[in-house]
Amino acid sequence: MQLYHHPFSLDSQRVRLALEEKGIDYTSFHVNPVTGKNMDASFFRMNSTAKLPVFQNGGHVIFDTIEIIQYLEKIAKVSSGDENIPLSSSEVIEWMHKIQKWNPKFFTLCHIPEKHRRYVSKFLRQVLIARMAETSDLAADYHKKLKEAYETEEKLKNPDVLKQDKEHLIRLLDEVETQLNETAYLAGKEFSMADVMLIPVLARLVILNLEDEYIGGRPNMAKYWIMVQQRPSYKKVIGKHFCGWRKHKTFVKTWCIVHIRTMLRKF
């Protein structure tokens, strides 16, 4: 089993949390979207949306995050040999879809300094244009991605985009806060795949230095956040890259790669 992912990718974090929680071995392939590696022809042929993660088991390839997680649950159940191990309940699945409906893309981009965002955006557009010239059979798909990149820049100029994303996030977090007043975890007394979907959202808020605004003011969520950070899966998947000084190391490393590749393209 192979997983194509990156530590920055929120959906990648979700799938990796599920893999760790279920104790499933897999081969890891890092595909950095910030440096345009998801635009390489080999990856683009497998997934022309260029989105992460991608899970592959033999000839079976899955792109949808929730579908991957549910597939992993089935693998874990079969591997255990215990038919009594339950799959996610309807309540858990409902929470999973509810959380997935909030798209962090524009919210995240709006909280990145404009100078840095424009630098990376320009670099990625250059990558797409180069790939179009190099790989004629994929030119139409690359052109579609290039169009999406320009559309993203235009949407970021619209204050209503951030406003809508923020309002959606607040509604979701308020609902989570209410639920956590009744149960220790999102869908009951036990940790579930609903928590796997939620944890990266909270981690993203912390990475963007928005913890006080969105988590600290919700006491049940604040308590929950402290608790889930103690799980080995969190420490391996997210904490390893983004806790304390490691966060700055991860960002600086990626920034340097982008800068070097941009400079090389000028020669």
Side-chain angles (χ1 to χ4, degrees):
M1 289 179 282
Q2 298 85 39
L3 181 69
Y4 299 83
H5 68 99
H6 191 266
F8 287 179
S9 163
L10 190 144
D11 280 329
S12 292
Q13 292 170 355
R14 288 166 169 162
V15 172
R16 289 193 64 217
L17 285 170
L19 283 161
E20 294 300 327
E21 289 288 341
K22 296 299 180 180
I24 298 174
D25 292 330
Y26 64 99
T27 302
S28 170
F29 294 98
H30 275 206
V31 181
N32 194 336
V34 179
T35 59
K37 293 300 290 182
N38 58 326
M39 305 298 178
D40 286 356
S42 58
F43 184 81
F44 212 70
R45 291 185 193 282
M46 181 170 56
N47 177 19
S48 61
T49 69
K51 294 180 180 179
L52 296 171
V54 174
F55 180 82
Q56 184 174 13
N57 186 14
H60 197 48
V61 182
I62 314 176
F63 311 116
D64 181 80
T65 299
I66 293 178
E67 287 182 16
I68 295 173
I69 292 174
Q70 291 181 306
Y71 183 79
L72 295 177
E73 284 192 291
K74 293 175 183 177
I75 290 176
K77 182 172 183 175
V78 171
S79 298
S80 71
D82 186 353
E83 289 297 322
N84 294 319
I85 295 178
L87 300 176
S88 288
S89 66
S90 59
E91 181 182 1
V92 169
I93 294 172
E94 182 180 351
W95 270 111
M96 291 171 71
H97 283 284
K98 189 177 296 184
I99 296 167
Q100 182 75 347
K101 284 180 180 178
W102 181 68
N103 187 339
K105 178 180 178 179
F106 293 106
F107 183 88
T108 300
L109 290 174
C110 285
H111 286 89
I112 294 175
E114 185 175 357
K115 176 183 177 181
H116 301 327
R117 191 184 74 226
R118 287 185 177 277
Y119 189 93
V120 173
S121 178
K122 181 180 179 181
F123 168 77
L124 292 177
R125 292 197 301 270
Q126 291 173 340
V127 170
L128 283 165
I129 292 170
R131 295 291 180 271
M132 286 172 63
E134 296 166 357
T135 321
S136 58
D137 62 314
L138 294 174
D141 290 326
Y142 280 125
H143 184 268
K144 183 179 179 181
K145 291 300 296 183
L146 183 62
K147 182 180 178 182
E148 287 178 10
Y150 281 111
E151 289 174 349
T152 295
E153 286 300 314
E154 288 302 311
K155 287 181 179 179
L156 288 170
K157 297 175 184 177
N158 185 352
D160 289 337
V161 171
L162 176 59
K163 182 174 181 289
Q164 291 170 4
D165 277 0
K166 183 175 180 178
E167 290 173 349
H168 188 171
L169 175 63
I170 289 172
R171 288 194 301 271
L172 173 63
L173 295 182
D174 284 345
E175 190 170 352
V176 169
E177 174 70 7
T178 299
Q179 177 64 32
L180 292 176
N181 191 48
E182 304 294 330
T183 56
Y185 293 101
L186 191 52
K189 296 180 180 179
E190 303 294 331
F191 186 90
S192 72
M193 294 299 102
D195 299 291
V196 159
M197 293 293 291
L198 177 63
I199 289 171
V201 174
L202 303 185
R204 177 62 55 90
L205 294 173
V206 173
I207 291 167
L208 294 173
N209 296 317
L210 298 171
E211 181 176 4
D212 291 343
E213 180 179 354
Y214 290 95
I215 301 176
R218 296 177 170 86
N220 296 318
M221 188 177 297
K223 181 180 178 182
Y224 169 88
W225 175 234
I226 291 172
M227 178 174 63
V228 296
Q229 287 180 83
Q230 306 309 310
R231 299 186 74 85
S233 61
Y234 172 87
K235 293 178 180 179
K236 183 172 182 178
V237 173
I238 300 175
K240 176 182 177 181
H241 300 282
F242 297 105
C243 284
W245 64 271
R246 293 183 181 88
K247 177 175 74 172
H248 302 290
K249 178 183 177 182
T250 301
F251 288 152
V252 168
K253 180 180 178 181
T254 297
W255 177 256
C256 288
I257 293 172
V258 171
H259 185 68
I260 291 170
R261 290 189 175 182
T262 302
M263 292 299 102
L264 289 174
R265 287 184 178 277
K266 294 181 178 180
F267 294 97

